[in-house]
Amino acid sequence: MSTPFPFTAVVGQEDLRLALLLNAVSPAVGGVLVRGEKGTAKSTAVRALSALLPEVAVVPGCRFSCDPAAPDPSCPDGPHEAGNGGMRPSRMVELPVGASEDRLVGALDIERALAEGVKAFEPGLLADAHRGILYVDEVNLLHDHLVDLLLDAAAMGASYVEREGVSVRHASKFLLVGTMNPEEGELRPQLLDRFGLTVEVAASREPDQRVEVVRRRLAYDDDPAGFAARWADEESAVRQRIVAARELLPSVRLGDGALRQIAATCAAFEVDGMRADIVMARTATALAAWAGRTDVLAEDVRQAALLALPHRRRRNPFDAPGLDEDKLDETLEEFNGEGDEDPDPDGPGGGGGQPPSGPQDDGPQTDGHSGAQPEAGDGGEPQASAAGSGEQSAARASEPFRTKVLSVPGLGDGAAGRRSRARTEHGRTTGARRPQGALTKLHLAATVQAAAPHQRARGRTGRGLVVRRDDLRQATREGREGNLVLFVVDASGSMAARQRMSAVKGAVLSLLLDAYQRRDKVGLVTFRGSAAEVALPPTSSVDAAAARLETLPTGGRTPLAAGLLRAHEVLRVERLRDPARRALVVVVTDGRATGGPEPVALAGRAARLFAADGVASVVVDCESGPVRLGLAGQLAGELEGTAVTLDELRADSIAGLVKDVQRRAA
């Protein structure tokens, strides 16, 4: 077994370490979501936490980690009698992003269940994580069906496995910790709200601290055991402090003044529901216990708000997480906890909001709430290009709206999502087939039908059905997939009227919101002047696409053919990377083509490349004014796609009906 990097040897990242420690003190806080750029010790700190957790008492031989003092009466390995048990270290179980449903919840042997009536159950990761930590790296990339199972287990404290009427239930209470890079896409709001706390981490910009990070990492890589031994005293001290804080926690008093501050803060920041109030109360209580106090102070409430509220204030994926600290301070001051006496500030536990630091941690510390520094070129000033003179500054997008559903025709096999029809592991049952590999979804009727003709030959004598593996049938199901939605946006001078471009950006922003909700990948190609550029390669981060759209300037000629050719190349490369994901191309233009010899004919030839490849497409017609040339409709014909106006794109529009994308017959 490899030696983990010591928790106390992590340089900086105070908010990250504090959030993890608070959950170690009080698992009822509800877990931690760690957001940040690559290489910021997110996974290192999480994996190091398990070594600090106290051991847990378990029933000997129980695969579900039942507490001997209060065993689960419905445990599949039970019933257990209450009594003394053995001790084992706390577990940290990692859930891979690509895990199967059976790996997460466990597998039931359907063949034995049908033939013998035996519940032969192999526990999954949710059973392993009971009374421990369930860690999901890149949690934002987790498949939707696994997210649903996590939500159910987190809400009920139990996991249910059901296969055609045969069910197994076991307790599953765990500390959920997730890490993610926001550039790769956001979390579903339902799962986001399940994390008690959230922390933004970034690499330090201080040279001295970066030097210390490198020094410690190199020392650990050279001799992991020796490096861990040098930090053993610090690790032991933190472990003892966690135990002491857990023992003190029931004695901590959350006064009416602190409760009023918590309620007022949540109301002032307009967070949804009551979970934020409860999480803040538990976090503030844990902060006081960690500091060795029995009273919750205003500083505990403030720190709890900074950890528990930022991710609950987002109304859509384009809102930046964070909290206005000036507004927070004003609210806390207005609802100051009258009647709660502050203990001696020089008494035990002063400065309890700070995580432990080792004696070698001499470098300046960074604040996890400082956020990542913007990368060069991200959201910066518009770059000069071939548009030449006449370039206009970027227009702001109008308010987004709910769009009608655009989908790819046919039946796909892509990643799970919510846009187009696809063959999936989840959805409505449409038929049966012989299983290819492990059986995951039994089609009971088809299995019985396959086994029935052979009962006499197999010597059946009793009431039970004699089932062989060759009789088993896998259910085929139809659900929804996510697509690659590639936006090709005209930013030329013909689109440059500010009110018009504002409406166009609002429409694209609305489609991006729809893509986020339907779990699509998105890409952005723009064209103006004499060339086209890939403003954003295909990504799961729709907020990155929105940021590029916001700073998009306009002006110059309309190289429509260049935009289509660049989009065609993007799709060619993406098909090599992700061949199962089908594409939907959304061209946002008035259809005009200028610049170069025969621009209209060249644009038509470029459009026919998409039709030849069978790519589904929609042209959003941005033409306005009393005289309309119908060029966008002609472009849609060349693409063998559908043309819709900006008004028809709205879900509540009565101007027209947007149907599913249809390709014309050859």
Side-chain angles (χ1 to χ4, degrees):
M1 182 177 178
S2 60
T3 303
F5 193 92
F7 186 86
T8 52
V10 175
V11 179
Q13 308 297 14
E14 284 90 349
D15 281 355
L16 168 59
R17 292 189 290 154
L18 179 60
L20 292 171
L21 289 168
L22 292 177
N23 276 275
V25 171
S26 175
V29 167
V32 187
L33 175 64
V34 187
R35 297 164 44 95
E37 58 196 22
K38 301 177 291 291
T40 48
K42 301 188 297 293
S43 300
T44 299
V46 173
R47 292 189 176 101
L49 176 66
S50 60
L52 300 178
L53 298 180
E55 291 186 331
V56 295
V58 296
V59 173
C62 178
R63 297 175 297 167
F64 301 88
S65 302
C66 279
D67 185 349
D72 182 5
S74 59
C75 174
D77 284 356
H80 305 298
E81 293 184 2
N84 296 327
M87 303 295 292
R88 67 158 175 79
S90 294
R91 290 175 181 164
M92 189 194 72
V93 178
E94 293 197 41
L95 171 60
V97 169
S100 66
E101 178 179 340
D102 284 347
R103 184 71 186 97
L104 178 61
V105 300
L108 193 64
D109 192 330
I110 300 298
E111 186 175 0
R112 291 188 62 191
L114 287 175
E116 305 173 28
V118 175
K119 291 183 180 180
F121 181 68
E122 184 65 29
L125 296 177
L126 288 180
D128 293 341
H130 181 46
R131 303 176 68 201
I133 301 173
L134 182 62
Y135 171 49
V136 190
D137 193 13
E138 306 294 351
V139 64
N140 50 323
L141 304 182
L142 199 63
H143 289 174
D144 277 358
H145 68 282
L146 297 183
V147 170
D148 293 336
L149 294 170
L150 274 183
L151 289 173
D152 288 343
M156 297 184 293
S159 175
Y160 292 84
V161 183
E162 302 205 15
R163 295 288 188 273
E164 304 296 340
V166 181
S167 64
V168 173
R169 174 213 172 271
H170 64 82
S172 181
K173 297 179 180 179
F174 48 83
L175 176 62
L176 182 60
V177 180
T179 55
M180 60 175 283
N181 182 350
E183 294 177 356
E184 297 172 340
E186 288 293 343
L187 270 181
R188 280 173 54 183
Q190 296 92 331
L191 183 57
L192 185 64
D193 190 51
R194 281 292 171 186
F195 286 98
L197 310 179
T198 186
V199 178
E200 296 282 331
V201 297
S204 172
R205 301 301 188 252
E206 293 290 338
D208 290 344
Q209 193 170 45
R210 296 176 75 97
V211 166
E212 186 62 25
V213 170
V214 175
R215 181 181 291 120
R216 294 187 188 182
R217 186 69 213 190
L218 293 178
Y220 171 77
D221 291 341
D222 288 342
D223 183 9
F227 184 82
R230 291 196 292 274
W231 289 87
D233 291 343
E234 288 77 11
E235 294 282 286
S236 177
V238 173
R239 194 177 296 110
Q240 293 173 11
R241 187 173 174 184
I242 291 173
V243 172
R246 283 188 173 188
E247 293 174 351
L248 182 63
L249 188 64
S251 304
V252 175
R253 185 177 70 93
L254 183 65
D256 289 343
L259 275 174
R260 283 195 297 271
Q261 287 184 316
I262 290 170
T265 300
C266 292
F269 285 101
E270 300 180 349
V271 296
D272 295 332
M274 294 297 299
R275 183 172 285 124
D277 304 63
I278 297 170
V279 170
M280 273 191 65
R282 290 171 174 166
T283 305
T285 303
L287 279 162
W290 177 249
R293 291 187 265 99
T294 56
D295 286 277
V296 173
L297 307 182
E299 67 191 57
D300 299 324
V301 176
R302 186 181 192 279
Q303 182 67 62
L306 292 174
L307 293 172
L309 296 189
H311 61 302
R312 293 187 165 88
R313 296 192 59 247
R314 304 188 76 189
R315 293 295 182 265
N316 64 62
F318 309 142
D319 293 339
L323 216 60
D324 184 340
E325 296 194 28
D326 291 336
K327 181 178 179 180
L328 173 61
D329 291 336
E330 290 174 3
T331 303
L332 294 176
E333 181 65 28
E334 180 180 356
F335 292 87
N336 191 18
E338 297 149 3
D340 289 347
E341 297 183 4
D342 290 348
D344 182 3
D346 297 324
Q354 294 296 323
S357 296
Q360 301 178 37
D361 194 358
D362 299 327
Q365 304 296 308
T366 57
D367 186 350
H369 284 290
S370 60
Q373 297 295 323
E375 297 182 2
D378 284 354
E381 293 296 322
Q383 302 296 311
S385 72
S389 60
E391 179 180 297
Q392 300 190 18
S393 59
R396 296 190 63 84
S398 62
E399 284 297 314
F401 51 85
R402 188 167 63 91
T403 67
K404 285 192 167 69
V405 180
L406 306 175
S407 60
V408 179
L411 198 62
D413 295 287
R418 296 189 180 87
R419 184 172 296 279
S420 304
R421 295 172 56 220
R423 288 174 287 266
T424 63
E425 288 293 320
H426 303 271
R428 64 184 183 89
T429 300
T430 58
R433 60 174 173 81
R434 290 182 181 274
Q436 299 171 350
L439 178 71
T440 56
K441 298 291 182 181
L442 178 76
H443 194 296
L444 182 58
T447 299
V448 172
Q449 187 176 7
H454 308 291
Q455 295 306 294
R456 180 175 297 178
R458 293 173 182 173
R460 173 184 170 184
T461 57
R463 299 179 60 184
L465 189 68
V466 181
V467 179
R468 304 280 172 80
R469 180 160 295 277
D470 288 344
D471 301 327
L472 299 180
R473 295 295 182 267
Q474 173 86 20
T476 57
R477 303 196 174 195
E478 182 179 311
R480 294 281 169 177
E481 68 177 0
N483 298 115
L484 166 60
V485 182
L486 182 61
F487 294 93
V488 186
V489 180
D490 185 348
S492 64
S494 66
M495 304 279 288
R498 297 196 68 81
Q499 186 174 2
R500 182 181 180 191
M501 197 60 195
S502 177
V504 169
K505 286 188 174 183
V508 177
L509 191 64
S510 303
L511 289 167
L512 284 171
L513 277 169
D514 183 67
Y516 165 75
Q517 294 164 353
R518 299 186 187 280
R519 311 300 287 172
D520 295 316
K521 291 179 71 173
V522 296
L524 179 62
V525 173
T526 64
F527 58 93
R528 64 191 180 98
S530 60
E533 66 172 345
V534 181
L536 184 71
T539 175
S540 297
S541 179
V542 294
D543 51 344
R548 302 296 197 278
L549 180 72
E550 189 68 25
T551 58
L552 177 66
T554 57
R557 295 182 179 272
T558 311
L560 178 57
L564 294 174
L565 290 173
R566 180 58 65 90
H568 188 266
E569 176 63 16
V570 170
L571 291 184
R572 185 190 68 80
V573 174
E574 192 63 19
R575 273 195 295 269
L576 298 175
R577 294 175 178 167
D578 192 357
R581 189 181 292 268
R582 298 187 295 165
L584 173 64
V585 175
V586 180
V587 184
V588 185
T589 182
D590 57 11
R592 290 182 172 86
T594 60
E598 300 182 341
V600 177
L602 186 59
R605 289 197 293 272
R608 288 192 288 275
L609 293 175
F610 291 87
D613 290 344
V615 177
S617 59
V618 175
V619 177
V620 180
D621 185 357
C622 301
E623 193 173 24
S624 61
V627 179
R628 295 175 180 265
L629 303 178
L631 297 175
Q634 295 177 24
L635 176 62
E638 299 284 4
L639 288 165
E640 296 188 4
T642 301
V644 297
T645 65
L646 288 173
D647 287 338
E648 291 171 339
L649 195 61
R650 293 178 178 269
D652 55 356
S653 171
I654 60 174
L657 177 65
V658 178
K659 299 179 180 179
D660 283 353
V661 181
Q662 297 179 348
R663 288 174 287 190
R664 298 178 180 176

